Amino acid sequence: MTMPERDEPTGALVRPYAVTRGRTRPKLEIALEALVETTVRGRSGMIRGGQGGSEHQYIAAMCDGGRVQSLAEIAARMQLPLGVARVIVADMASDGLLAVYEPTSLEDETDAVGTELLERVLSGLRRL
């Protein structure tokens, strides 16, 4: 029994980068925890046989029907490197096939009620 050569890349290592045509920078910056959902345009593309490859079809199906997924979940379920998944999702979002919902930070929150609630929770935790 001979061992396979370690210098030769396997199809699994080469293929994801071929899907992105070697690009490593996404068209849009998408956070790891950003939520992704298939748009109406993305659904109609799936029904017609769609644009893109099987990865596009898989992501559109995975994020359809109210099943919102994070970018990290998409990469994990597809067993793709995060950078590759980010490029594919960004391409699909820029084509209007996916909607991306970026997380907001507390610094962006200007709601006084929300700030007051957080202060009360913090105060209660300190009393414990």
Side-chain angles (χ1 to χ4, degrees), residues 5-41:
E5 291 290 321
R6 295 224 179 234
D7 295 331
E8 295 179 7
T10 66
L13 293 175
V14 174
R15 188 168 187 278
Y17 296 98
V19 169
T20 64
R21 293 180 211 112
R23 289 183 308 127
T24 57
R25 293 182 189 252
K27 292 179 181 178
L28 308 168
E29 283 302 317
I30 301 174
L32 179 66
E33 66 274 13
L35 298 177
V36 178
E37 180 178 36
T38 303
T39 63
V40 172
R41 184 175 178 184

Side-chain angles (χ1 to χ4, degrees), residues 91-104:
D91 287 351
M92 292 178 72
S94 69
D95 291 340
L97 303 174
L98 298 176
V100 177
Y101 305 104
E102 291 288 342
T104 58

Side-chain angles (χ1 to χ4, degrees), residues 58-106:
Y58 188 79
I59 291 170
M62 187 184 347
C63 301
D64 192 25
R67 295 177 304 219
V68 179
Q69 304 284 319
S70 72
L71 176 62
E73 289 171 314
I74 292 168
R77 288 175 191 247
M78 293 185 69
Q79 298 179 345
L80 287 173
L82 183 59
V84 173
R86 184 175 275 137
V87 169
I88 295 170
V89 168
D91 287 351
M92 292 178 72
S94 69
D95 291 340
L97 303 174
L98 298 176
V100 177
Y101 305 104
E102 291 288 342
T104 58
S105 70
L106 288 177

